[in-house]
Amino acid sequence: MSFLVSALTASLAVVLPLGAVADRGVTIEESFRAAGGRPAHQAVTFDPEAVPVGGRVTVTERVGDDTHVELRLHGVEANRTFGAHVHQKPCGSKPSDSGPHYQNAVDPVQPSTNPAYAHPRNEVWLDITTDHHGDGASASTLDWRFRADQARSVVIHEHATHTGTGTAGTAGARLACVNVPFK
């Protein structure tokens, strides 16, 4: 057994260049539950009409030379566009518990609505449109990585994300949230 582990370790050393780090990532697959339960749930809904209890969410993060985040929803409101963003804090019993959007370059004025900061190259925007079954998918790839423990959840919002001056980054009420241990 120890020979097998040593051989595997040696083969990985040959495959990965000196100093290289293998891609890291995380995948969270959960069903939405009503907010306010104890212990805190991985995925919560604040609007069970738009995001029903039992609807499913998958968030995948892949980290290599860039950061790639995918969002999939199943069994939520059909034929609808939702805004979705990575937020700084974990989900809680109230929609506001997840805090503001994660920003690579942080706007000194929060909540950020300045298009110089609130845009899809500085934040993770995952707006998603569902089909007639209530299923949809979106993805975002960025040329930066999350700072440790500063990106903790994905929030599903009421409508598509605005881009205009004074409203950039806003997407209406927070309808649901999923905790993600981003790398």
Side-chain angles (χ1 to χ4, degrees):
M1 177 78 160
S2 65
F3 173 75
L4 180 60
V5 171
S6 297
L8 180 59
T9 302
S11 67
L12 286 175
V14 172
V15 173
L16 295 175
L18 186 60
V21 176
D23 285 353
R24 298 180 305 157
V26 64
T27 297
I28 299 297
E29 297 180 46
E30 289 289 331
S31 293
F32 288 105
R33 297 184 184 190
R38 292 282 177 215
H41 298 301
Q42 190 74 27
V44 295
T45 180
F46 305 109
D47 184 335
E49 287 188 30
V51 182
V53 170
R56 296 185 326 273
V57 60
T58 303
V59 178
T60 301
E61 174 200 26
R62 287 192 308 273
V63 180
D65 292 335
D66 55 19
T67 300
H68 181 79
V69 180
E70 296 176 13
L71 171 66
R72 293 185 182 281
L73 295 176
H74 303 283
V76 300
E77 188 173 346
N79 302 311
R80 179 170 180 170
T81 298
F82 297 92
H85 313 104
V86 171
H87 281 247
Q88 292 179 17
K89 296 180 180 179
C91 309
S93 59
K94 297 179 298 202
S96 61
D97 288 345
S98 57
H101 294 179
Y102 178 90
Q103 294 181 316
N104 186 46
V106 180
D107 186 344
V109 177
Q110 294 291 325
S112 180
T113 58
N114 180 344
Y117 293 94
H119 60 79
R121 291 172 316 285
N122 191 48
E123 300 181 347
V124 182
W125 289 10
L126 296 162
D127 289 15
I128 189 168
T129 301
T130 58
D131 64 15
H132 65 282
H133 296 292
D135 300 343
S138 65
S140 180
T141 301
L142 301 145
D143 63 1
W144 45 263
R145 296 172 112 170
F146 294 114
R147 292 178 297 279
D149 296 322
Q150 292 187 24
R152 306 289 300 279
S153 61
V154 172
V155 172
I156 311 302
H157 291 271
E158 179 179 19
H159 54 72
T161 307
H162 291 270
T163 58
T165 302
T167 62
T170 63
R174 298 174 188 204
L175 305 180
C177 183
V178 57
N179 289 320
V180 183
F182 289 105
K183 302 292 180 189

